[in-house]
Amino acid sequence: MKFSIGGSLKLAFRPWVEGLENIPAEGPAILASNHLSFSDSFFLPAVLDRKVTFIAKAEYFTSPGVKGKLTAAFFKGVGQLPVDRSGARGAGEAAIQSGIKVIEAGELFGIYPEGTRSPDGRLYRGKPGGLARVALATGAPVIPVAMIDTEKIQPPGKVVPKLMRPGIRIGKPLDFSRYHGMDNDRFILRSVTDEVMYEIMKLSGQEYVDIYATAAKRQIADAEKAAKTDKAEKADGTSQ
């Protein structure tokens, strides 16, 4: 199914790619990408000959009914791995252990260091848990990846995607083997994450914001809520 979905995506959207030679022909590697769109997890595997495994919440694979089965089949077909978020430490620890298993199997593991999609197209601070811990626990090289213009294909609220060419830039592998086994040192985790984010920034050309994307989303939501309240109060004052 990966090849049929990937072939359809390439035919319809004709994504351009730079740096394919940086993907190893065999052996494990971590692909660390910026995250602009829900479609990022589909476009990147579509342009590679090798399977890339991303993680996805388990609910995508267990929903009932025909729609649920189709959704599960689609996510499995594009290399998504279900992660149970019900454990004591939640999705973070489950994702890390899943990533380590993928690497130990000699495969490619895809991860978004920002932890969530960018709310405004800018690049946000990487979370020091998943990416760095998988890299330091396994010694696998980290390959920075930049998705270009994928957020323009299907903006929030749009059902029908826009047919346009997204881009993918793949950087040279980063070697963090000098820190192997130091995956419990928070300063090392932060340093590794920041180095990867810097390389992603250079590849993507995005403006970098030194806060987490989750915090930025809260700020945007609070600002929108405040604006609505202010508008309602003004309207109420005018009507009196």
Side-chain angles (χ1 to χ4, degrees), residues 55 83-98:
I55 55 172
V83 171
D84 184 358
R85 304 182 299 170
S86 62
R89 298 182 66 181
E93 185 63 27
I96 290 166
Q97 295 306 317
S98 296

Side-chain angles (χ1 to χ4, degrees), residues 31-54:
L31 304 185
S33 174
N34 60 339
H35 198 12
L36 297 172
S37 168
F38 176 76
S39 63
D40 294 336
S41 300
F42 307 139
F43 280 115
L44 180 56
V47 301
L48 302 180
D49 292 332
R50 296 184 61 186
K51 174 185 176 182
V52 184
T53 299
F54 286 87

Side-chain angles (χ1 to χ4, degrees), residues 109-172:
F109 177 60
I111 190 169
Y112 302 111
E114 291 168 279
T116 187
R117 279 174 279 174
S118 170
D120 54 14
R122 296 185 294 176
L123 183 68
Y124 285 85
R125 194 180 197 204
K127 294 189 173 182
L131 164 66
R133 281 189 59 192
V134 174
L136 300 190
T138 62
V142 178
I143 301 175
V145 176
M147 307 301 294
I148 311 293
D149 291 335
T150 53
E151 80 281 12
K152 298 176 182 177
I153 291 176
Q154 192 172 13
K158 297 291 184 181
V159 177
V160 180
K162 179 180 179 181
L163 286 178
M164 59 175 293
R165 296 189 70 188
I168 301 171
R169 290 196 181 101
I170 303 170
K172 295 184 180 299

